[in-house]
């Protein structure tokens, strides 16, 4: 049974998960800077390690949810994150912290593919875009609040709060999921053998010269490159904040502009569906991503940095929305498609920081070597997107 009343709980779990995971993931780089002296090179390497683990764990997390049940996957994820971060709150050495990060990364991959599937399961063809839009608004709101308020929380409650605050939230989520699983007819489990009307992509998909699956492939190509840029930016913000003489709280305020630009983009795309299955919108977003990223890391004036964040946030918003919407609109195995969507994100989390770190390692005397290297990678991604579209031209 997929009742609307149950979806209120799913969206509550999603919002709290976005805040908890965001606070830990975003401000871990500040923790590493302050406690272990990490600069851009160290933080980029940690981000690349996280992405490498995320690729495989997200894919398997989506498959696990599809086969073993959504609530089972959520309990594994929330319980595991609570335990990992609880250990992190008392761990002292760098090796222990990296082990905590690895365990947390694996566990978080049981939650996002599952929550994505829960938002879309049981929906009509007309209701699916509304649910995907609402899902995007909720998680992006939680993520934006985590970055906006996280710096002040970090300063007020101490650096270790990045562990114990999310751990408490995840423990509460585990309790909610356990309660939901015990309600009669409340636990949605995928039933591949049950007869159901076949889902068809929306009508706009068939008015285009390329197949719906081609749009899915293009979005799956673009989304990792969005996370190439996102995670390079997140890993380098602590050093940027130090250059601009910003405290942790001030950097949370200033560098959250692109989070809210992404949120505003999600709100617009939720209400206006004219971008569905339109290649020119995806292409414009990729161009904006590349320009916004380069300006964000290379500009020195605050005005340009704000403008770059707005362009950057709008671009990553449309790219992410495309990947998730097409993942849910094209195909039936939503848990598995959600896992592939998240695995593509993990690829971007890994490759972008890895390329940035390699640039800094090979050219240590060039402060912006990492930014130049990742900008070149984004240009290759843009070429690949255009090639994929031309390959499937009529």
């Amino acid at each position: 049974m997929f009742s609307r009343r149950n979806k209120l709980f799913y969206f509550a779990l999603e919002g709290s998960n976005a805040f908890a995971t965001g606070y830990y993931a975003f401000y871990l780089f500040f923790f590493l800077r302050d406690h272990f002296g990490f600069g851009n090179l160290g933080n980029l390497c940690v981000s690349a390690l996280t992405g490498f683990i995320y690729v495989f764990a997200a894919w398997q997390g989506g498959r696990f949810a599809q086969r073993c049940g959504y609530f089972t996957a959520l309990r594994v994820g929330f319980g595991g994150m609570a335990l990992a971060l609880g250990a992190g709150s008392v761990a002292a050495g760098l090796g222990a912290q990296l082990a905590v990060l690895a365990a947390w990364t694996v566990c978080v991959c049981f939650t996002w593919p599952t929550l994505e599937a829960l938002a879309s399961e049981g929906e009509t063809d007309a209701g699916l875009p509304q649910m995907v839009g609402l899902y995007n608004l909720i998680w992006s709101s939680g993520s934006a609040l985590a970055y906006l308020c996280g710096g002040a929380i970090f300063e007020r409650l101490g650096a270790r709060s990045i562990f114990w605050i999310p751990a408490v939230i995840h423990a509460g989520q585990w309790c909610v999921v356990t309660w939901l699983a015990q309600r009669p007819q409340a636990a949605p489990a995928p039933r591949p053998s049950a007869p159901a009307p076949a889902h068809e992509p929306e009508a706009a998909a068939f008015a285009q010269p390329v197949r719906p699956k081609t749009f899915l492939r293009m979005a799956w190509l673009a989304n990792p490159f969005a996370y190439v840029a996102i995670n390079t930016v997140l890993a380098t913000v602590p050093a940027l904040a130090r250059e601009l003489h910003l405290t942790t709280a001030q950097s949370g305020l200033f560098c959250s502009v692109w989070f809210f630009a992404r949120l505003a983009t999600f709100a617009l795309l939720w209400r206006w569906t004219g971008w569905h299955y339109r290649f020119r919108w995806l292409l414009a977003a990729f161009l904006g991503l590349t320009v916004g990223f380069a300006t964000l890391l290379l500009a020195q004036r605050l005005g340009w940095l704000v403008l770059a964040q707005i362009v950057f946030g709008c671009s990553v918003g449309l790219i992410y929305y495309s990947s998730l919407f097409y993942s849910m609109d094209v195909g039936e195995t939503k848990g598995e498609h959600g896992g592939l969507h998240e695995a593509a994100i993990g690829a971007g989390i890994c490759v972008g920081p890895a390329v940035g770190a390699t640039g800094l390692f090979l050219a240590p005397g060039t402060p912006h070597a990492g930014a130049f290297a990742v900008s070149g990678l984004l240009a290759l991604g843009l070429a690949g997107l255009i090639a994929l579209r031309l390959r499937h031209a009529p």
Side-chain angles (χ1 to χ4, degrees):
M1 294 290 292
F2 300 95
S3 71
R4 295 276 176 169
R5 210 165 15 171
N6 286 337
K7 290 208 172 185
L8 293 176
F9 291 106
Y10 307 153
F11 286 132
L13 290 170
E14 177 204 351
S16 57
N17 204 45
F19 183 88
T21 57
Y23 182 44
Y24 171 68
F26 300 153
Y27 285 92
L28 175 65
F29 297 119
F30 287 90
F31 178 85
L32 294 174
R33 181 197 68 180
D34 297 343
H35 285 73
F36 300 104
F38 275 31
N40 283 342
L41 179 60
N43 278 340
L44 286 168
C45 289
V46 168
S47 185
L49 172 64
T50 303
F52 180 78
I53 298 170
Y54 200 100
V55 172
F56 303 100
W59 179 39
Q60 293 302 318
R63 297 182 67 187
F64 181 89
Q66 196 70 40
R67 295 176 180 180
C68 301
Y70 295 146
F71 286 165
T72 301
L74 288 178
R75 279 185 287 185
V76 169
F78 292 142
M81 286 192 291
L83 292 174
L85 294 180
S89 65
V90 297
L94 177 59
Q97 288 296 341
L98 294 179
V100 166
L101 176 61
W104 175 87
T105 302
V106 171
C107 293
V108 79
C109 293
F110 286 88
T111 63
W112 286 124
T114 308
L115 290 169
E116 289 161 9
L118 284 172
S120 58
E121 284 283 9
E123 290 297 325
T124 64
D125 291 348
L128 179 63
Q130 298 302 312
M131 286 299 105
V132 173
L134 187 58
Y135 174 88
N136 281 338
L137 286 177
I138 292 172
W139 79 256
S140 60
S141 298
S143 184
L145 287 174
Y147 208 94
L148 177 69
C149 305
I153 297 172
F154 188 94
E155 289 187 355
R156 182 67 60 87
L157 300 181
R160 293 281 172 175
S161 65
I162 68 170
F163 302 103
W164 62 262
I165 289 179
V168 170
I169 293 173
H170 293 317
Q173 291 173 311
W174 185 91
C175 294
V176 171
V177 172
T178 301
W179 171 72
L180 284 173
Q182 294 172 351
R183 298 178 67 193
Q185 296 183 330
R191 301 178 183 181
S193 60
H199 170 77
E200 291 287 341
E202 64 178 47
F206 301 103
Q208 304 304 317
V210 296
R211 296 182 305 164
K213 284 190 176 180
T214 300
F215 279 96
L216 176 61
R217 294 189 184 105
M218 289 190 293
W220 277 355
L221 171 66
N223 201 39
F225 282 96
Y227 276 83
V228 161
I230 288 171
N231 284 273
T232 302
V233 169
L234 291 174
T236 55
V237 161
L240 177 64
R242 183 167 282 172
E243 290 177 9
L244 297 175
H245 306 290
L246 299 175
T247 66
T248 304
Q250 289 171 339
S251 64
L253 290 170
F254 179 73
C255 297
S256 65
V257 171
W258 76 265
F259 283 88
F260 287 96
R262 179 176 63 182
L263 174 59
T265 301
F266 284 161
L268 174 63
L269 299 180
W270 180 41
R271 306 310 301 173
W272 176 68
T273 60
W275 61 273
H276 288 183
Y277 298 99
R278 302 291 195 280
F279 175 70
R280 61 180 176 270
W281 287 101
L282 189 59
L283 177 63
F286 209 115
L287 287 169
L289 170 74
T290 306
V291 173
F293 170 82
T295 305
L296 185 56
L297 291 191
L298 299 177
Q300 298 296 320
R301 295 186 179 182
L302 294 181
W304 282 108
L305 291 173
V306 171
L307 180 60
Q309 286 193 68
I310 294 173
V311 174
F312 185 76
C314 293
S315 300
V316 299
L318 193 146
I319 291 173
Y320 178 91
Y321 207 133
S322 298
S323 178
L324 182 56
F325 173 74
Y326 296 142
S327 294
M328 298 296 105
D329 195 49
V330 182
E332 292 296 327
T333 54
K334 293 180 172 54
E336 215 165 314
H337 268 199
L340 290 172
H341 163 81
E342 291 293 326
I345 289 175
I349 296 174
C350 176
V351 173
V355 169
T358 301
L360 288 173
F361 180 77
L362 295 178
T366 305
H368 297 300
F372 293 142
V374 176
S375 296
L377 181 63
L378 293 178
L380 289 176
L382 177 61
L385 181 68
I386 295 172
L388 183 59
R389 171 62 180 85
L390 294 177
R391 180 181 176 185
H392 292 276

